[in-house]
Amino acid sequence: MIQRSNPALTGSIRDCWKRCFENEDPNYIEWFFRNVYRPEYGYADVEDSRVVAAVCRIPHEFMFNGRVLKASMLMGISTLPEYRGQGRMGELMHTVLDACSHSELITFIQAYDPKLYEPFGFRTVYYRSDYTLYRDLVKKVSSSGCAYDPSPIDMLKVYSAFIRKFNGFYTRDLDYFVNLKKEIEAEGGKIVGFYNTKNQIAGYATLLSDGRQVKIEECIYLNSTALLKLVNAALMSTNSVHLHVSQAENMKVIFPDAARKDYGHTMARLNDPALFSRLYGTSVNTVEEAFALSRKPLNMNEFM
């Protein structure tokens, strides 16, 4: 039986996640259920009082071509191994997407295997690039101006200035950055900020390490000086850094010898093409056509 918004199911949904996402950092899962998850986000297939499949739907406001749209991100899509191949997830997804279709224009998902979600109408609309940066490929600069643990208000200020160049992004507020700091801490990472000579923040980067290399999952910078400072800060503890940015950010200008790998990051589903067309004074039939209207490069970095 499919249920939703049941507080009593929270622990069972968390247990389902832990079994299905064995490679996920358990600290991250615990952080998510303490700081992000709410009972109304959860959809579950329940059998004998046990969650055997689950989907989490997290609402967001999404900025696209100057308008703020209601949207949500689907995540934690999971089915216990012994219940797979029975059509449970298909039924659960149809239930979730029916609710989405009645309340929002666009629904997002991030998928390791996009082909699983294409039958539900999802298409990959946003790509990112992974640049592999070794110490000898990056111009060395001093660490002056760099400081760990920038405040949420400083991060909000510099993000707000940075994101003006882009389109298709979540609207972020101060609480977002309070939670982002908690998330990075839960994953054992750090956040480094760069402040200019006027002591104004000009960038920040989230640093996550697996013991061998550092991953910069989000890098916000106002100029090339800030970018170089942040990358050099990451290289202080390792010989290689993976810098993840939107596909539109051409890092070859600053790091010409770095290897680059592009990958699909976010899929989207257009729930009501007719309403979207009326809202934007156009005519689209597919999600690809809708996102092709973007006036600026997309920047959809969020995972939830």
Side-chain angles (χ1 to χ4, degrees), residues 30-245:
E30 291 299 327
W31 170 85
F32 177 86
F33 278 91
R34 284 197 309 267
N35 296 278
V36 178
Y37 184 82
R38 298 178 183 175
E40 58 266 30
Y41 296 168
Y43 292 74
D45 186 352
V46 181
E47 184 167 305
D48 296 328
S49 301
R50 180 191 188 197
V51 171
V52 300
V55 175
C56 187
R57 176 191 174 198
I58 303 179
H60 288 285
E61 291 186 336
F62 177 71
M63 178 67 74
F64 188 79
N65 283 357
R67 292 181 180 271
V68 178
L69 307 179
K70 289 181 64 176
S72 64
M73 174 71 77
L74 305 187
M75 62 177 298
I77 300 172
S78 52
T79 304
L80 294 179
E82 59 268 32
Y83 289 91
R84 293 171 186 169
Q86 301 177 9
R88 292 175 180 271
M89 184 50 65
E91 183 180 356
L92 188 55
M93 283 290 291
H94 283 301
T95 299
V96 175
L97 291 175
D98 180 67
C100 293
S101 296
H102 287 88
S103 59
E104 62 194 34
L105 278 178
I106 299 173
T107 303
F108 297 106
I109 195 171
Q110 282 154 357
Y112 294 112
D113 186 355
K115 292 182 180 179
L116 291 176
Y117 302 100
E118 290 175 354
F120 297 102
F122 287 94
R123 297 293 183 271
T124 302
V125 296
Y126 175 60
Y127 292 82
R128 299 190 82 198
S129 300
D130 173 5
Y131 288 86
T132 303
L133 305 176
Y134 294 100
R135 175 67 276 177
D136 58 353
L137 300 181
V138 178
K139 177 183 177 181
K140 288 187 178 181
V141 296
S142 74
S143 60
S144 62
C146 290
Y148 287 98
D149 200 28
S151 69
I153 189 64
D154 280 351
M155 294 172 69
L156 175 58
K157 286 177 181 177
V158 71
Y159 176 83
S160 298
F162 172 83
I163 206 64
R164 291 178 192 143
K165 299 179 292 184
F166 297 94
N167 189 32
F169 52 87
Y170 288 179
T171 59
R172 296 187 181 184
D173 57 15
L174 188 60
D175 285 342
Y176 179 94
F177 289 97
V178 171
N179 276 330
L180 176 60
K181 294 187 67 174
K182 292 178 180 178
E183 176 185 355
I184 298 301
E185 182 181 358
E187 295 182 88
K190 299 179 180 179
I191 300 177
V192 60
F194 170 67
Y195 292 80
N196 61 25
T197 55
K198 296 181 180 179
N199 202 32
Q200 298 169 332
I201 191 167
Y204 71 82
T206 61
L207 312 181
L208 296 172
S209 175
D210 63 3
R212 296 177 294 107
Q213 57 193 12
V214 170
K215 177 171 67 172
I216 300 179
E217 190 63 56
E218 177 161 282
C219 189
I220 303 300
Y221 54 95
L222 298 187
N223 49 51
S224 59
T225 298
L227 177 60
L228 276 171
K229 289 278 189 176
L230 295 170
V231 171
N232 270 269
L235 284 166
M236 289 179 65
S237 61
T238 183
N239 189 50
S240 65
V241 167
H242 282 269
L243 173 63
H244 294 258
V245 295

